[in-house]
Amino acid sequence: LFLIAFIFSILIVAGCSRGLRKSIIFDSANLEGYKLSSSKAPELKWETKLPSSVRGLTLINKKNVLISSNRGELYIVDILTGKRTTRIWKPFNKPINILFLGSEGGIIYFTSLINKGVYAYSLEKAKIRGKFSLPGLQGQMVIVGDTAFVLQGRKNILSFNKNTGESIRKLEINTSIAKGIYEYGNLLWIIREDGCLLSYDIHLKPKDFFSLKLSPEPVATKIGNKIIACDSDGHVILIDLKQRKILFKKQLSAPIFSDPFVSDTVIVVGLANGKIVALNSADGSEIWCYQGEGLVNLPLMGTKSMVIVPFARGRIVSLDLYSGDKLWHYGFDRSLRLTKLISEGIIVVDSKNKAYYLESKK
């Protein structure tokens, strides 16, 4: 029986390595092109049971979403129908991490815990382009030219050639890195566990240093030339990477576990006690406040005119971005695990591995 299971596992990997059954061209979503109605709640278009708990959702184009699972699957779901169209990978029921989904050539870089390496997979050509023996990679990967930058463990930044997998440099940080790597202005930015924001050039030479004094495991969002960082003590800090300075620091009344939503003039933050607070991005002054129900621990989403808040208990609420007035809501029977805003709707996954697509009313 063991021999049969082993041979079957090899056949699974070989079959997945041959690639997709059809070619899918990468087309990144236009963040300016969201068409969700601000006056009408979206309608359920489909729901489907997924084979295992979802680790992450990544948009490929307007019709397809890439899903990774905790048991090691990597497959594509058609947004219009909810059907699983292709399976790329299933490495012996072990988790994988998607490090990077690139627009140039439609390349996915992902790690396999069982093989302790990183794979480069071409969506356009529907096949694995390369496998590199680079163990311990995690977090979001940044690519500058032909050089990829990624965390190796919690204290190292590794650079390698994205085409050959050849290691270039490795930098050890004396304190664990809390978040992944951000890129702006030809500099790499990281946030350490001790609340410090640091930047390095592409040769991994140190440049800037900011002491943010955040508690461990902060949440952070990069929008354009700004990073907004929040923590479990309620701190909110906005940093302008272009000007290389902290614009404001503010402390709110409850822990913050979800990534905030940032527009040109408004920052919206969700607190653990269900309170939603909008701040002026210029000075951090409060614009409005909305009291919701239950924990907020999933990233806030939004458009040019509204912010969409997923409450953990199973309720999605849309608020006017500038006034905080409630526009609409949608309820689920179970708690929410993942949400993803797309061009004309929202994809939701609940705690029982059920996926839903809410399509905006025309």
Side-chain angles (χ1 to χ4, degrees):
L1 290 177
F2 175 81
L3 180 59
I4 292 172
F6 179 74
I7 294 173
F8 181 66
S9 299
I10 292 175
L11 291 175
I12 289 176
V13 174
C16 294
S17 300
R18 285 195 295 270
L20 304 174
R21 289 192 291 271
K22 62 179 180 179
S23 178
I24 295 181
I25 307 300
F26 178 90
D27 177 25
S28 60
N30 180 7
L31 297 180
E32 303 295 324
Y34 292 130
K35 301 177 183 178
L36 273 74
S37 171
S38 59
S39 59
K40 298 178 181 179
E43 294 181 333
L44 179 65
K45 184 168 183 180
W46 54 256
E47 60 182 79
T48 185
K49 179 72 173 179
L50 300 176
S52 61
S53 60
V54 175
R55 192 179 185 91
L57 303 174
T58 307
L59 288 179
I60 297 176
N61 50 37
K62 294 178 181 179
K63 295 182 179 180
N64 296 279
V65 61
L66 183 70
I67 296 181
S68 59
S69 79
N70 283 322
R71 75 178 187 187
E73 295 157 309
L74 186 60
Y75 55 89
I76 291 173
V77 167
D78 187 311
I79 293 173
L80 299 179
T81 65
K83 303 296 184 182
R84 282 178 284 149
T85 60
T86 52
R87 186 177 69 180
I88 298 172
W89 193 253
K90 187 178 179 183
F92 303 99
N93 294 330
K94 296 291 183 179
I96 63 172
N97 290 316
I98 298 175
L99 299 173
F100 182 83
L101 181 60
S103 58
E104 184 179 345
I107 303 297
I108 308 169
Y109 290 86
F110 64 92
T111 59
S112 165
L113 298 186
I114 189 68
N115 292 319
K116 301 185 184 302
V118 59
Y119 291 82
Y121 185 96
S122 171
L123 288 171
E124 184 175 355
K125 296 183 179 180
K127 66 179 182 179
I128 290 178
R129 198 180 71 172
K131 177 192 173 185
F132 313 133
S133 297
L134 298 169
L137 305 189
Q138 56 185 278
Q140 189 70 19
M141 194 164 75
V142 169
I143 293 180
V144 180
D146 286 335
T147 304
F149 301 88
V150 68
L151 302 184
Q152 190 172 46
R154 294 295 299 272
K155 291 188 177 183
N156 300 295
I157 301 176
L158 176 71
S159 64
F160 66 93
N161 186 292
K162 70 172 187 178
N163 301 311
T164 65
E166 180 183 1
S167 296
I168 300 174
R169 292 179 184 85
K170 185 175 182 178
L171 174 67
E172 184 176 356
I173 311 297
N174 56 11
T175 303
S176 294
I177 300 168
K179 302 295 290 184
I181 303 173
Y182 306 96
E183 188 272 333
Y184 179 80
N186 288 324
L187 292 177
L188 308 172
W189 300 80
I190 63 167
I191 297 178
R192 295 191 321 206
E193 283 281 9
D194 58 0
C196 291
L197 175 68
L198 301 90
S199 68
Y200 300 87
D201 65 17
I202 59 174
H203 304 294
L204 299 184
K205 301 297 183 182
K207 290 294 181 181
D208 295 304
F209 176 93
F210 299 93
S211 180
L212 305 182
K213 297 181 180 179
L214 296 168
S215 63
E217 297 297 333
V219 293
T221 300
K222 176 185 172 295
I223 302 291
N225 64 315
K226 293 181 176 64
I227 287 180
I228 178 168
C230 310
D231 69 8
S232 58
D233 291 327
H235 293 115
V236 182
I237 303 176
L238 183 65
I239 307 102
D240 189 309
L241 302 181
K242 185 176 182 180
Q243 299 183 51
R244 310 284 180 83
K245 70 176 185 180
I246 295 174
L247 297 182
F248 70 78
K249 295 182 179 181
K250 190 178 185 71
Q251 185 167 13
L252 300 179
S253 59
I256 302 168
F257 300 127
S258 65
D259 293 345
F261 174 72
V262 183
S263 74
D264 291 338
T265 58
V266 181
I267 296 169
V268 186
V269 181
L271 307 185
N273 61 6
K275 184 180 290 186
I276 310 302
V277 179
L279 306 174
N280 188 310
S281 61
D283 57 13
S285 59
E286 184 174 311
I287 302 173
W288 54 260
C289 178
Y290 172 86
Q291 182 60 60
E293 298 179 3
L295 175 68
V296 180
N297 62 351
L298 295 175
L300 305 189
M301 308 171 289
T303 69
K304 286 185 174 182
S305 62
M306 62 180 172
V307 59
I308 300 169
V309 184
F311 289 91
R313 290 181 182 175
R315 187 177 177 90
I316 293 179
V317 176
S318 171
L319 305 172
D320 184 277
L321 183 59
Y322 301 101
S323 68
D325 293 338
K326 182 179 174 181
L327 302 175
W328 50 259
H329 73 272
Y330 196 98
F332 297 86
D333 295 333
R334 302 183 183 94
S335 59
L336 306 184
R337 177 171 288 166
L338 287 170
T339 57
K340 189 74 174 180
L341 183 65
I342 62 175
S343 177
E344 297 183 356
I346 306 171
I347 296 176
V348 178
V349 180
D350 68 18
S351 58
K352 295 296 184 180
N353 307 327
K354 206 167 189 178
Y356 310 82
Y357 176 45
L358 306 180
E359 189 175 56
S360 182
K361 289 184 177 180
K362 306 300 182 183

